[in-house]
Amino acid sequence: AGGGGELSFVLAMEGIPVTVIDPRADEGKLRRRQRKMLRRAQHAPITKLAEWFSLDLLEDPRYPQLKQCSLVVGMHPDEAAGAIVEVARAAGRPFALAPCCVF
């Protein structure tokens, strides 16, 4: 989930490629100042995918970056928490999960 985009911004400023997957179009949208800083630093833009996060995405040929990721992160992912663990395990990648509540 994209949330406020803070984690994505910090990672991108460190030169770490970021892909945000969130079905809501406005989630993870950076503020104007953050977008300007990324452009000035000449970092690649953050990739956004408007999709529901699921294990099926790992096999989707449109998203090869998912198999190449180094870490799967979920910040307050709600119902996607289980899928984050499944995708990380299937891809053999570590994951970090900060749930927001019990659902």
Side-chain angles (χ1 to χ4, degrees), residues 26-76:
D26 288 339
E27 289 297 306
K29 187 174 181 182
L30 299 177
R31 292 184 206 98
R32 180 184 298 173
R33 181 182 65 82
Q34 291 171 320
R35 290 191 305 270
K36 194 174 190 179
M37 289 174 69
L38 280 174
R39 277 194 305 272
R40 283 185 183 163
Q42 298 182 342
H43 290 296
I46 296 167
T47 303
K48 278 204 64 186
L49 306 177
E51 298 277 357
W52 288 96
F53 194 83
S54 72
L55 189 56
D56 295 336
L57 288 179
L58 197 58
E59 299 304 322
D60 193 320
R62 297 176 295 165
Y63 309 125
Q65 68 269 41
L66 298 181
K67 285 188 176 181
Q68 300 165 1
C69 74
S70 54
L71 175 67
V72 181
V73 178
M75 300 298 291
H76 313 285

